[in-house]
Amino acid sequence: MSKLIVFCEHQNQNLKRSSIELLQFGKSKNFEVVGVVLGAEGQKAAEQATANGASEVLFFNDVKLNGYNPELYLAALEAGIKQSGARHVLAPASSAGKDVFPRLAARLDSSIASDCVALTVEGDTLIAKKPLYAGKAFAQVNLKDSPVQIVLMRANQLPVATAGSANPGAVKIVALPAVDLKAILKEVVKGASEKLDLTEANVIVSGGRGLKEAGNFKMLEDMANVLGATVGASRAVVDSGWVSHSMQVGQTGKTVAPTLYIAVGISGAIQHLAGMTGSKVIVAINNDPNAPIFQKATYGIVGDLFEIVPKLTEEFKKLLHK
Ligand SMILES: Cc1cc2nc3c(=O)[nH]c(=O)nc-3n(C[C@H](O)[C@H](O)[C@H](O)COP(=O)(O)OP(=O)(O)OC[C@H]3O[C@@H](n4cnc5c(N)ncnc54)[C@H](O)[C@@H]3O)c2cc1C
């Protein structure tokens, strides 16, 4: 059985869904799965990794890894891969993943496929599918001739089954190698929202210029609270200063793939679509029947969002909180 190592990201001490998907994928394909957990806040996540398919977890229990520092992450991940002897590496295509793994690939002289939306295994080779030209085309990437194969997967692309029971005995504490740091992380300023990050969210309610002004985002927050959703936005409203850039979905924002994406007052420009067409069900609310978003929508509601959104929120409340 060959070894596959998974970079296990965690947030608020819990393993992120994106990492759970990768651990379970490795296990389902009969790999011997090794998890790597970074940071002293990762104890619980390390145990959760054992419940989701990892037969061993390398836990770098070090406060210096609590915030993202590329030099330290690079050193820890390189040490983890070398120690495990794994030839296959899976990681979430998160901000940290997309920053550190290309560096690691250069160091290990290995191939890498980033931002992938599907993954299969043939023999000993990972075969990944990744979008090109903002989703207009797809490439099938075969990583076979590389000493180490690295694939970065977008979240919500692989199924997740119920976790088994944790095995704290499989968690091995590993020391961070000494690094001659060129930069020191002094502070991480967290966004105000405690909501799940857009890239991890299962339901997203996104707003565009059709909302007319910043204050009207409150309507979307109300709907999101009822649905347990995260609020996203188009670039037009981010550029207008209504909401923060961390909420932007699209080519120059975040790529999301929730089960349900509700686009409210968003026209559906190609750069917006590039970030959300991986959503399983898309609902568009727009008063222009010719808005391009309807070409991609599973369900379209033509009408005034100021009438429709409050009514829908009321109905969701009745359905979900009876
Ligand atoms: C290089 C580049 C990168 C870009 N990256 C991104 C990106 O990452 N993400 C992104 O989103 N955009 C991006 N853009 C911008 C993109 O081209 C669009 O300008 C932007 O997505 C439009 O945002 P919008 O849909 O909110 O606004 P608009 O296009 O103005 O659409 C508003 C919609 O609201 C509808 N509407 C108005 N009033 C109501 C009402 N009362 N009820 C219902 N519907 C109503 C209108 O019919 C319209 O369809 C990028 C552009 C460039 C050039």
Side-chain angles (χ1 to χ4, degrees), residues 207-212 233-237 248-254 264-272 285-288 291-292 303-306:
R209 193 149 38 197
L211 280 154
K212 312 281 189 246
S234 72
R235 176 163 161 178
V237 303
Q248 185 180 317
V249 173
Q251 189 183 327
T252 44
K254 289 184 174 160
V264 181
I266 292 179
S267 59
I270 183 76
Q271 297 90 352
H272 187 81
I285 304 171
N286 198 304
N287 61 4
D288 172 7
D304 183 0
L305 69 89
F306 294 98

Coordinates of all heavy atoms in Angstrom, one line a residue, residues 207-212 233-237 248-254 264-272 285-288 291-292 303-306, ligand 1:
G207 N -24.4 38.9 -2.7 CA -25.1 40.1 -3.1 C -24.3 40.9 -4.1 O -23.1 40.9 -4.1
G208 N -25.1 41.5 -5.0 CA -24.4 42.4 -6.0 C -25.0 43.8 -6.0 O -25.7 44.2 -5.1
R209 N -24.6 44.5 -7.1 CA -25.0 46.0 -7.2 C -26.5 46.2 -7.1 O -27.0 47.3 -6.8 CB -24.4 46.5 -8.5 CG -24.4 48.0 -8.5 CD -23.3 48.6 -9.3 NE -22.9 47.9 -10.5 CZ -21.7 48.1 -11.1 NH1 -20.9 49.0 -10.6 NH2 -21.4 47.4 -12.2
G210 N -27.2 45.1 -7.5 CA -28.7 45.3 -7.4 C -29.2 45.6 -6.1 O -30.4 46.0 -5.9
L211 N -28.4 45.4 -5.0 CA -28.8 45.7 -3.7 C -28.9 47.2 -3.4 O -29.3 47.7 -2.4 CB -27.9 45.0 -2.6 CG -28.3 43.6 -2.4 CD1 -27.1 42.8 -2.0 CD2 -29.4 43.4 -1.4
K212 N -28.3 48.0 -4.3 CA -28.4 49.5 -4.3 C -27.5 50.2 -3.3 O -26.9 51.2 -3.6 CB -29.8 50.0 -4.1 CG -30.8 49.4 -5.0 CD -30.8 50.0 -6.4 CE -32.0 49.5 -7.2 NZ -31.6 48.6 -8.3
A233 N -20.1 38.3 -2.1 CA -20.4 39.5 -2.8 C -19.8 39.5 -4.2 O -18.8 38.7 -4.4 CB -20.0 40.7 -2.0
S234 N -20.3 40.4 -5.1 CA -19.6 40.6 -6.4 C -18.5 41.6 -6.2 O -18.5 42.4 -5.2 CB -20.6 41.0 -7.4 OG -21.0 42.4 -7.1
R235 N -17.7 41.7 -7.2 CA -16.6 42.7 -7.1 C -17.2 44.2 -7.1 O -16.6 45.1 -6.5 CB -15.6 42.5 -8.2 CG -14.6 43.6 -8.2 CD -13.4 43.1 -9.1 NE -12.6 44.3 -9.4 CZ -11.5 44.2 -10.1 NH1 -11.1 43.0 -10.6 NH2 -10.8 45.3 -10.4
A236 N -18.3 44.3 -7.8 CA -18.8 45.7 -8.0 C -19.1 46.3 -6.6 O -18.8 47.5 -6.3 CB -20.1 45.7 -8.8
V237 N -19.6 45.5 -5.7 CA -20.0 46.0 -4.3 C -18.7 46.1 -3.4 O -18.7 46.9 -2.6 CB -21.1 45.2 -3.7 CG1 -22.3 45.2 -4.6 CG2 -20.7 43.8 -3.3
Q248 N -15.4 38.7 -1.5 CA -15.6 38.7 -3.0 C -15.4 37.3 -3.6 O -14.5 36.6 -3.4 CB -14.6 39.6 -3.6 CG -14.7 39.7 -5.1 CD -13.7 40.7 -5.8 OE1 -13.4 41.7 -5.2 NE2 -13.2 40.3 -6.9
V249 N -16.4 37.0 -4.4 CA -16.4 35.7 -5.2 C -16.1 36.0 -6.6 O -16.6 37.0 -7.2 CB -17.8 35.0 -5.1 CG1 -17.9 33.8 -6.0 CG2 -18.2 34.7 -3.7
G250 N -15.2 35.2 -7.2 CA -14.9 35.4 -8.6 C -13.4 35.3 -8.9 O -12.6 34.9 -8.1
Q251 N -13.1 35.6 -10.2 CA -11.8 35.5 -10.7 C -10.7 36.1 -9.8 O -9.6 35.6 -9.7 CB -11.7 36.1 -12.1 CG -10.5 35.8 -12.9 CD -10.6 36.5 -14.2 OE1 -11.6 36.7 -14.8 NE2 -9.4 36.9 -14.7
T252 N -11.0 37.3 -9.3 CA -10.0 38.0 -8.5 C -10.4 38.0 -7.0 O -9.9 38.8 -6.2 CB -9.8 39.5 -9.0 OG1 -11.1 40.0 -9.3 CG2 -9.0 39.5 -10.2
G253 N -11.4 37.1 -6.7 CA -11.8 36.9 -5.4 C -11.7 35.4 -5.0 O -10.7 34.8 -5.4
K254 N -12.6 34.9 -4.3 CA -12.5 33.5 -3.9 C -13.3 32.6 -4.8 O -14.3 33.0 -5.5 CB -13.1 33.3 -2.5 CG -12.2 34.0 -1.5 CD -12.7 33.8 -0.1 CE -11.6 34.4 0.9 NZ -12.1 34.6 2.2
V264 N -28.0 37.2 -5.5 CA -29.0 38.2 -5.4 C -28.6 39.5 -6.0 O -27.6 40.1 -5.6 CB -29.4 38.4 -3.9 CG1 -30.5 39.5 -3.8 CG2 -29.7 37.1 -3.2
G265 N -29.2 39.9 -7.1 CA -28.9 41.2 -7.7 C -27.5 41.2 -8.3 O -26.7 42.2 -8.3
I266 N -27.1 40.0 -8.8 CA -25.8 39.9 -9.5 C -26.0 39.6 -10.9 O -26.8 38.6 -11.2 CB -25.0 38.7 -8.8 CG1 -24.6 39.1 -7.4 CG2 -23.7 38.4 -9.6 CD1 -23.8 38.1 -6.6
S267 N -25.4 40.3 -11.9 CA -25.7 40.1 -13.3 C -25.1 38.8 -13.8 O -25.7 38.2 -14.8 CB -25.1 41.3 -14.1 OG -23.7 41.4 -13.9
G268 N -24.0 38.3 -13.3 CA -23.4 37.1 -13.8 C -22.3 37.3 -14.8 O -22.2 36.6 -15.8
A269 N -21.5 38.4 -14.6 CA -20.3 38.6 -15.4 C -19.4 37.4 -15.4 O -19.3 36.7 -14.4 CB -19.6 39.9 -15.0
I270 N -18.7 37.2 -16.5 CA -17.8 36.0 -16.6 C -16.8 35.9 -15.5 O -16.6 34.8 -15.0 CB -17.1 36.0 -18.0 CG1 -16.2 34.8 -18.2 CG2 -16.2 37.3 -18.2 CD1 -17.0 33.6 -18.5
Q271 N -16.4 37.1 -15.0 CA -15.4 37.0 -13.9 C -16.0 36.6 -12.6 O -15.4 36.1 -11.7 CB -14.7 38.4 -13.7 CG -13.9 38.9 -14.9 CD -14.7 39.7 -15.8 OE1 -15.9 39.8 -15.7 NE2 -14.1 40.3 -16.8
H272 N -17.3 36.9 -12.4 CA -18.0 36.4 -11.2 C -18.3 34.9 -11.4 O -18.0 34.1 -10.4 CB -19.4 37.1 -11.0 CG -20.0 36.8 -9.7 ND1 -19.6 37.3 -8.5 CD2 -21.0 35.9 -9.4 CE1 -20.3 36.8 -7.5 NE2 -21.1 35.9 -8.0
I285 N -31.6 35.5 -8.3 CA -32.7 36.5 -8.2 C -32.3 37.8 -8.9 O -31.4 38.4 -8.5 CB -33.0 36.7 -6.7 CG1 -33.3 35.4 -5.9 CG2 -34.2 37.7 -6.5 CD1 -33.4 35.6 -4.4
N286 N -33.1 38.1 -9.9 CA -32.7 39.3 -10.7 C -33.9 39.8 -11.4 O -34.7 39.0 -11.9 CB -31.6 38.9 -11.7 CG -30.8 40.1 -12.2 OD1 -31.4 41.0 -12.7 ND2 -29.5 40.1 -12.1
N287 N -34.1 41.1 -11.5 CA -35.3 41.6 -12.2 C -35.1 41.8 -13.7 O -36.0 42.1 -14.4 CB -35.7 43.0 -11.6 CG -34.7 44.1 -11.7 OD1 -33.6 43.8 -12.3 ND2 -34.9 45.2 -11.1
D288 N -33.9 41.4 -14.2 CA -33.7 41.4 -15.6 C -33.7 40.0 -16.2 O -32.8 39.2 -15.9 CB -32.3 42.1 -15.9 CG -31.9 42.0 -17.4 OD1 -32.8 41.5 -18.2 OD2 -30.8 42.4 -17.7
A291 N -30.5 38.6 -17.7 CA -29.2 38.7 -17.0 C -28.5 37.4 -17.3 O -29.1 36.3 -17.2 CB -29.5 38.9 -15.5
P292 N -27.2 37.4 -17.6 CA -26.4 36.2 -17.9 C -26.4 35.2 -16.8 O -26.2 34.0 -17.0 CB -25.0 36.7 -18.2 CG -25.1 38.2 -18.3 CD -26.4 38.7 -17.7
G303 N -37.6 39.0 -10.7 CA -38.4 39.9 -9.9 C -37.5 40.8 -9.1 O -36.3 40.8 -9.1
D304 N -38.2 41.7 -8.3 CA -37.5 42.7 -7.5 C -37.0 42.0 -6.2 O -37.8 41.5 -5.4 CB -38.5 43.8 -7.1 CG -37.9 44.9 -6.3 OD1 -36.6 44.8 -6.1 OD2 -38.6 45.8 -6.0
L305 N -35.7 42.0 -6.0 CA -35.1 41.4 -4.9 C -35.6 41.9 -3.5 O -35.7 41.2 -2.5 CB -33.5 41.4 -4.9 CG -32.8 42.8 -4.8 CD1 -32.5 43.1 -3.3 CD2 -31.6 42.8 -5.6
F306 N -36.0 43.2 -3.5 CA -36.4 43.8 -2.3 C -37.8 43.2 -1.8 O -38.1 43.2 -0.7 CB -36.6 45.3 -2.4 CG -35.2 45.9 -2.6 CD1 -34.7 46.3 -3.9 CD2 -34.3 46.1 -1.5 CE1 -33.5 46.8 -4.1 CE2 -33.1 46.7 -1.7 CZ -32.6 47.0 -3.0
Ligands
LIG1 C1 -9.9 41.7 -14.5 C2 -11.3 41.7 -13.8 C3 -11.5 40.9 -12.7 C4 -12.8 40.8 -12.1 N1 -13.0 40.0 -11.1 C5 -14.2 39.9 -10.5 C6 -14.5 39.0 -9.5 O1 -13.6 38.3 -8.9 N2 -15.8 38.9 -9.0 C7 -16.8 39.7 -9.5 O2 -17.9 39.5 -9.1 N3 -16.5 40.5 -10.6 C8 -15.3 40.7 -11.0 N4 -15.1 41.6 -12.0 C9 -16.1 42.6 -12.4 C10 -17.2 42.0 -13.3 O3 -16.8 42.2 -14.6 C11 -18.5 42.7 -13.1 O4 -18.3 44.1 -13.2 C12 -19.2 42.5 -11.7 O5 -19.2 41.2 -11.4 C13 -20.6 43.1 -11.7 O6 -21.1 43.0 -10.4 P1 -22.7 42.9 -10.2 O7 -23.2 41.7 -10.9 O8 -22.9 43.1 -8.7 O9 -23.2 44.3 -10.8 P2 -24.0 44.6 -12.1 O10 -23.3 44.0 -13.3 O11 -24.2 46.0 -12.1 O12 -25.4 43.8 -11.9 C14 -26.4 44.1 -11.0 C15 -27.6 43.3 -11.3 O13 -28.6 43.6 -10.3 C16 -29.8 43.5 -11.0 N5 -30.8 44.3 -10.2 C17 -30.8 45.6 -10.1 N6 -31.8 46.0 -9.3 C18 -32.4 44.8 -8.9 C19 -33.6 44.6 -8.1 N7 -34.3 45.6 -7.5 N8 -33.9 43.3 -8.0 C20 -33.3 42.3 -8.6 N9 -32.2 42.5 -9.4 C21 -31.8 43.8 -9.5 C22 -29.6 44.0 -12.4 O14 -30.5 43.5 -13.3 C23 -28.2 43.5 -12.7 O15 -28.2 42.2 -13.4 C24 -13.8 41.6 -12.6 C25 -13.6 42.5 -13.7 C26 -12.4 42.5 -14.3 C27 -12.1 43.4 -15.5

